[in-house]
Amino acid sequence: MDKDLFKTIDSVIRKERLYAQVNLMREDIMQRFNIGRHHLNDQLNTFADGMSFPQYINSIRMEVAYDLLTKHPEKSITEIAREVGLTAPNFREQFKRCYGITPAEYRSGLAATDEE
C-alpha cells in the first residue's frame, strides 16, 4: 500500500474542503486520483482504520465541526453544519454519535467552563 497516496487524498479533501460538499461521492475521489473503487477501499482499510468512505468523510467533518464550535462561538450550529456539508439534524446526530453529546450541549459546556 502507498501511504503517500492516502496522505495526498486526505490532504486534498481537507485543504480544498471537499468534505463540505453535501453530495461528495466516492466516485469523485476515484476520478480525481484516477484510482478504482477497490484501490480506494484498500487505502481506507489500511490508513483510515478500516472506515468506509462515508465514515471517513464524516470523521473529517466532525473534526472540523468540533474545531469550529470551539473557536468560533459567533457561528450558529446551523452555519457550522452547512460549513461541513451536513444538514442541522444530521449534524446533531453525527456529532452525538461521535462525541456522546449534541453540539448544543458541547457549546453550553464551553460556556460554563469560560464562566469559571
Side-chain angles (χ1 to χ4, degrees):
M1 274 289 108
D2 182 7
K3 189 167 188 162
D4 289 338
L5 174 60
F6 180 76
K7 285 181 178 179
T8 300
I9 292 170
D10 185 73
S11 178
V12 166
I13 288 170
R14 291 171 190 272
K15 286 181 182 171
E16 294 183 18
R17 301 185 63 245
L18 298 180
Y19 61 81
Q21 296 176 13
V22 175
N23 297 319
L24 180 65
M25 304 290 291
R26 173 189 333 259
E27 289 73 17
D28 299 325
I29 301 302
M30 290 165 37
Q31 187 173 29
R32 172 86 179 256
F33 291 95
N34 195 30
I35 58 175
R37 182 184 217 51
H38 184 70
H39 195 153
L40 179 58
N41 289 342
D42 285 348
Q43 290 286 314
L44 292 170
N45 281 331
T46 303
F47 303 114
D49 298 324
M51 287 188 243
S52 68
F53 183 74
Q55 289 170 328
Y56 173 67
I57 295 302
N58 279 333
S59 74
I60 294 171
R61 288 172 170 161
M62 291 305 100
E63 286 175 33
V64 172
Y66 187 91
D67 192 52
L68 289 170
L69 284 165
T70 304
K71 295 179 180 173
H72 295 280
E74 76 282 0
K75 290 187 178 192
S76 74
I77 290 172
T78 301
E79 283 178 284
I80 291 171
R82 269 194 299 260
E83 279 191 49
V84 298
L86 296 169
T87 63
N90 192 261
F91 173 52
R92 183 182 191 282
E93 177 185 323
Q94 295 292 332
F95 194 89
K96 185 164 186 163
R97 184 178 299 141
C98 187
Y99 297 108
I101 57 174
T102 67
E105 291 168 338
Y106 176 71
R107 270 253 168 101
S108 65
L110 286 175
T113 303
D114 289 345
E115 292 170 5
E116 293 174 2

